Amino acid sequence: MAVYTEIGDGELQAFLKDYELGTLLAFKGIAEGVENSNYLLHTDAGFYILTLYERRVKAEDLPFFLSLLEHLAARGIVCPTPLKGRDGVALRELGGRPAAIFSFLDGMWVRRPQTVHCAELGRALAQMHEAGRDFPMHRANALTVADWRPLHERAYEAASEPDESLHAFLSDELDFLENNWPKDLPSGVIHADLFPDNVFFLGDALSGLIDFYFACNDFFAYDLAICLNAWCFEPETTFNVTKAHALLSAYEKSRPLTQEEREVLPILARGGALRFLLTRLYDWNTTPPGAFVTRKDPGEFVRKLRFHRSVRSSSEYGFDL
Amino acid sequence: MAVYTEIGDGELQAFLKDYELGTLLAFKGIAEGVENSNYLLHTDAGFYILTLYERRVKAEDLPFFLSLLEHLAARGIVCPTPLKGRDGVALRELGGRPAAIFSFLDGMWVRRPQTVHCAELGRALAQMHEAGRDFPMHRANALTVADWRPLHERAYEAASEPDESLHAFLSDELDFLENNWPKDLPSGVIHADLFPDNVFFLGDALSGLIDFYFACNDFFAYDLAICLNAWCFEPETTFNVTKAHALLSAYEKSRPLTQEEREVLPILARGGALRFLLTRLYDWNTTPPGAFVTRKDPGEFVRKLRFHRSVRSSSEYGFDL
């Protein structure tokens, strides 16, 4: 949750003059999104979300993100759709920050995803991958295999009480992944952060995908590997193969995996676990315990990584249940 | 801003079964209110605000507040209107907390109120006082003259660096107010916290009053005195008599003050300044500087109190401009 930038009413009125949204009726900061400030906006034309981009999102990446959302929405993927101003431009400025207005998306994220949600996720993920195939812009993944070792070292150096055994374990894992990461797999635009809080449901039906601010060009199957990590473990970090089967088989209805994609899935899953382990570890080591931001325990992803290291064959992910 | 209690989707679905609101469509924490958790709620039936009552609001006061809002709304005062469940009960429980759903109120609060806003406020305040006359419940003001000295001493004892000269100044002021506070003036239900962030406007027109969680039975003119403190000083804490005239004259169109009310207004204004000075001073002295909550500077009300002490006659508040 986050509302960082305070916007005055006069400033907002002036900003809205560039849109065809009628009179401003209400404006409230909402507790959603960690990187950005989000506001509920009510005008004569309806309810919207206004996003101000803070700190972590790079301004030069915003055209990619906004164009992608527009592209996906035009192809039937339900996601926040950027509204254009009278001049046709969606990315504007408010309060000294990049800003955009989006359609209001109904739905709630599911705190305890069940098998039915994993199936819905698989279906939507494949559709998103297909819908992004003709997206003309490109953004490299800034958090892929080459970026993990420097991040690992920065996290280690920032620790007040460095964990030597964890450092050795992760160094060993990095050696393996750097040597075995696939060079070429079916690729395109991936979400790269599709955790449960970024997927909305109405009842058991998936109603939208949000928070595309890690989206980039990478292996489609890596997006699936991230979802395996994010959706298919129980709270005590045991792997639920039924949920994984639901995710993978629903995905493959739209886009069957190649033999090579199936074979390297355990490696991609190790990479996915390590990527979130490292960002959480870095945040853990650089965030004072008393700070307002909730620190997420990196240990969860150490356990997930250990599971993927124990996998001997892709079939253990439940392809053929 | 505050969202303290995390509510699961299943828990919320179950809660909503007691209302005639149709299907739940969206639910987002909003950054509004300091004492409570507030959420935007979207259902088939429309947009609403769900409030969970945290810490500071006493559970035994909630029936007074909710009944008052219902009473005022029925008499045309625009304020959040509590929705009743199927059983006719508005005050329910969610997440282990007292909870209620309210109508969604359009409007924004004005960061820099102008004279036109003060006139709107005066009109609405008098209408609210009139509308509350036949409200049958009673709640004593828990922050009136008898409560100030104990609060003053607690704030002083909590200070890490006690300010002796401020303590002497406030003790002297307390002596005066305890000896001169009026015993009997026209009374009824007052809002008691009608600062700009509790008054919504659409353009220049007042569109609603919110946050009645200090409402109580007390002198009507004390509510006006609080508004003089909250709305009629410029940012550098100089008194703007034009704004005060607009407030008072608009108020008197609906309810002219008695001669006695006019005469004691400087004393009531001193009391109003002292009341907010003391709660801010207490919060200041008991809140660690690093905490998430924004501490409001008590010095602003020291300056306001000094102004009211310099007033020789009520006419200085602009009654007869």
Side-chain angles (χ1 to χ4, degrees), chain A residues 303-314:
Chain A
R303 294 188 294 275
K304 289 178 179 177
L305 177 55
R306 287 192 194 279
F307 168 77
H308 298 304
R309 282 164 65 114
S310 77
V311 167
R312 290 288 152 257
S313 148
S314 278

Side-chain angles (χ1 to χ4, degrees), chain B residues 24-306:
Chain B
L24 173 62
L25 298 176
F27 182 63
K28 296 175 192 301
I30 62 175
E32 197 163 272
V34 177
E35 314 298 347
N36 309 318
S37 300
N38 287 295
Y39 305 85
L40 176 76
L41 186 68
H42 186 205
T43 79
D44 287 339
F47 284 83
Y48 300 91
I49 299 292
L50 167 68
T51 298
L52 293 199
Y53 296 97
E54 310 281 351
R55 310 174 295 160
R56 280 205 189 180
V57 175
K58 286 187 188 161
E60 63 262 36
D61 286 335
L62 289 171
F64 176 90
F65 298 137
L66 267 69
S67 300
L68 175 62
L69 289 165
E70 199 184 335
H71 178 98
L72 293 176
R75 279 151 189 81
I77 305 301
V78 187
C79 58
T81 314
L83 263 71
K84 290 176 172 168
R86 294 178 199 273
D87 57 0
V89 177
L91 181 61
R92 314 188 77 87
E93 196 178 292
L94 177 60
R97 299 249 148 232
I101 297 177
F102 295 91
S103 57
F104 182 94
L105 215 61
D106 276 322
M108 277 85 41
W109 70 274
V110 178
R111 271 62 180 174
R112 296 283 299 263
Q114 304 303 312
T115 305
V116 60
H117 302 115
C118 295
E120 283 283 283
L121 173 71
R123 186 186 54 71
L125 184 67
Q127 288 171 352
M128 192 209 96
H129 288 168
E130 293 295 344
R133 278 191 190 275
D134 59 342
F135 182 59
M137 298 172 78
H138 189 277
R139 179 177 179 263
N141 190 347
L143 277 171
T144 186
V145 61
D147 310 291
W148 296 336
R149 194 179 294 271
L151 178 59
H152 172 228
E153 295 304 332
R154 285 209 310 280
Y156 176 72
E157 284 155 20
S160 53
E161 296 173 21
D163 182 335
E164 300 299 341
S165 77
L166 179 63
H167 186 258
F169 171 72
L170 296 181
S171 298
D172 173 67
E173 181 66 18
L174 281 163
D175 291 342
F176 172 82
L177 289 174
E178 285 167 357
N179 287 320
N180 292 280
W181 197 249
K183 300 266 176 298
D184 189 33
L185 288 175
S187 295
V189 177
I190 69 167
H191 184 286
D193 190 32
L194 214 43
F195 277 67
D197 56 341
N198 289 332
V199 182
F200 282 178
F201 286 86
L202 284 170
D204 289 339
L206 192 149
S207 66
L209 307 176
I210 66 165
D211 210 348
F212 281 72
Y213 301 107
F214 287 97
C216 56
N217 292 74
D218 206 337
F219 306 142
F220 289 136
Y222 178 56
D223 227 5
L224 258 182
I226 289 171
C227 290
L228 284 172
N229 276 291
W231 291 74
C232 301
F233 286 85
E234 297 305 308
E236 67 276 22
T237 329
T238 52
F239 187 71
N240 185 322
V241 73
T242 307
K243 291 181 177 175
H245 172 75
L247 170 68
L248 295 169
S249 61
Y251 183 91
E252 289 202 288
K253 274 184 196 151
S254 289
R255 195 186 76 81
L257 299 188
T258 65
Q259 187 56 34
E260 192 190 359
E261 282 180 299
R262 280 199 181 210
E263 280 168 12
V264 297
L265 194 59
I267 297 173
L268 298 175
R270 287 168 69 164
L274 184 69
R275 173 253 179 271
F276 289 98
L277 194 170
L278 289 175
T279 49
R280 288 194 179 188
L281 186 66
Y282 179 80
D283 289 345
W284 189 271
N285 290 345
T286 55
T287 307
F292 172 60
V293 176
T294 308
R295 303 192 303 172
K296 291 180 181 165
D297 174 20
E300 175 192 337
F301 280 93
V302 175
R303 296 188 292 277
K304 289 178 178 177
L305 176 55
R306 287 192 195 280

Side-chain angles (χ1 to χ4, degrees), chain B residues 15-29:
Chain B
F15 177 76
L16 289 176
K17 287 212 175 97
D18 292 334
Y19 291 87
E20 298 271 7
L21 289 172
T23 306
L24 173 62
L25 298 176
F27 182 63
K28 296 175 192 301

